[in-house]
Amino acid sequence: MADEQNLPSVILTVRLIRSFEHRNIKPVIFKDVDLNMTVKNFIVLVKSDILTRPGLLPPFRKYGFDSMKIQHKAHGSKTSDPTINIEDDELLMMEEEKTLLECGIGHETEISFFKMDDYRKYQSNPVCDW
């Protein structure tokens, strides 16, 4: 198995979170992602892709997504909250100026993409409305 730093590109799942309380989540697969890309550039890539991606409903296309957080790494443990891991922000939040590799992203990593204001609200009261 090749070292992840030598991989030219990877497959990532981006979980578009429209509503934390209603668990309105749409996973989107991105193939051939360059790990040397900055998080800021990856956000731009994802936002432009979801505008024209077939099968994606308009509420997801036009939502104000602005933040990314690592949800799950391949072969790692998952959080007990199916919506998002509300702990370990200092380790899992992806800083815009870092590369995906510097954030610890690897092949088959799941990344949550959401609006930070909604996340903070859910983090203070993690209750599901449905």
Side-chain angles (χ1 to χ4, degrees), residues 25-65:
I25 302 167
K26 179 72 173 174
V28 180
I29 307 296
F30 288 87
K31 297 180 180 178
D32 300 323
V33 178
D34 181 4
L35 291 177
N36 294 314
M37 180 185 309
T38 64
V39 173
K40 185 175 186 174
N41 289 341
F42 186 58
I43 287 173
V44 170
L45 173 81
V46 172
K47 282 183 172 182
S48 65
D49 179 85
I50 63 177
L51 287 174
T52 59
R53 185 174 282 257
L56 198 58
L57 299 173
F60 284 98
R61 294 180 195 275
K62 299 176 182 178
Y63 198 65
F65 302 108

Side-chain angles (χ1 to χ4, degrees), residues 35 37-39 70 73 91-106 109:
L35 291 177
M37 180 185 309
T38 64
V39 173
I70 297 171
K73 293 183 182 182
L91 294 174
L92 301 176
M93 276 298 189
M94 298 170 61
E95 299 174 27
E96 287 190 349
E97 67 278 354
K98 290 186 176 181
T99 66
L100 298 175
L101 190 60
E102 289 171 336
C103 289
I105 302 298
T109 299

